[in-house]
Amino acid sequence: LDRFEPHEPIYGVFGTGDAGGKLQMSFAFRPFAEDAPLKLGNLRFAYTQTMFWALAEPSGPFRSTIYSPEVYADIPFDETTKVAIGWRHDSNGRGMVDSIDVNRIFGRVEKSFDLGGDWHLDVAPQAWFYVGRFGTAPDVKDYLGYTALTAAIRQENGLKVAVTGRGNFETRRGGAELFASYPLAPIGGGIGFYLFGQAFTGYGEALDDYRRNDTHARIGIALTR
């Protein structure tokens, strides 16, 4: 169990109107011990699943689900800097007729700055290129783009606000997502109960509707942030 660790936030949030509910589960697994030879302790397998719950519709169906496995190496440079290099697959889980599959090779740099007074600033620029086919969405790269930047300001046991922006400079399309959280009942190891707010604007929040320009805000509870 000590080889499992939080990856992306785990949360359930809900909004009014067509925002509906958004649920996400995510974890990473380290298959080798930290001191394994050939730096194998840096290897991670991760899985994230994001579900959109159409609560405004009569039967309350899940209108879209994104399945996202990853394999990457998390390489520390010092106590405040690490680099990740890997592969990520995003899919809507549909059949041949309406399947959307996005495969990316990515690189990410994560840097943390101590601002004093228990405040920290985390910055993580990321870039990627696409490999393979896109299923029924050959133009998806025009909306998801090739680069992203995440910035978060946080207290170790207090407020955290994180913003991620990504997009395509040529098409001028992209999206931005904001997370805001505050601990309610810490458990330890980055897991607990957090009051959690999530907002998105732009293209590609749901892979099935990547051409749709949406703005949604939701609030709920998270287990990791």
Side-chain angles (χ1 to χ4, degrees), residues 156-158 182-194 223 225:
E156 194 66 33
N157 297 300
Y182 190 83
L184 299 176
I187 296 174
I191 299 176
F193 288 96
Y194 301 89
L223 296 180
R225 58 178 186 168

Side-chain angles (χ1 to χ4, degrees), residues 35-192:
D35 58 353
L38 303 177
K39 302 294 185 180
L40 290 174
N42 295 327
L43 186 65
R44 301 287 192 278
F45 296 106
Y47 178 75
T48 301
Q49 184 169 316
T50 308
M51 298 154 283
F52 296 85
W53 194 356
L55 294 169
E57 297 183 18
S59 61
F62 283 89
R63 66 177 177 85
S64 182
T65 300
I66 306 172
Y67 307 89
S68 305
E70 296 178 62
V71 180
Y72 63 96
D74 219 358
I75 307 166
F77 274 72
D78 55 42
E79 292 183 355
T80 63
T81 310
K82 61 182 178 179
V83 173
I85 300 172
W87 164 84
R88 175 173 173 131
H89 172 80
D90 295 293
S91 171
N92 64 348
R94 308 282 177 124
M96 293 293 293
V97 176
D98 50 5
S99 174
I100 299 176
D101 299 291
V102 181
N103 293 282
R104 291 177 272 188
I105 304 296
F106 68 86
R108 180 176 63 246
V109 178
E110 300 178 26
K111 178 70 175 179
S112 181
F113 301 90
D114 188 346
L115 302 179
D118 195 35
W119 286 96
H120 295 80
L121 173 66
D122 302 324
V123 179
Q126 183 174 186
W128 57 82
F129 63 88
Y130 297 92
V131 294
R133 299 182 178 180
F134 298 97
T136 60
D139 63 338
V140 68
K141 58 184 179 296
D142 295 338
Y143 297 83
L144 299 185
Y146 297 87
T147 57
L149 176 63
T150 298
I153 186 168
R154 61 181 172 85
Q155 288 178 297
E156 194 66 33
N157 297 300
L159 178 68
K160 178 179 179 179
V161 178
V163 179
T164 298
R166 52 117 181 108
N168 188 315
F169 289 106
E170 292 184 1
T171 62
R172 296 184 180 180
R173 292 173 177 146
E177 188 164 35
L178 179 144
F179 295 142
S181 59
Y182 190 83
L184 299 176
I187 296 174
I191 299 176

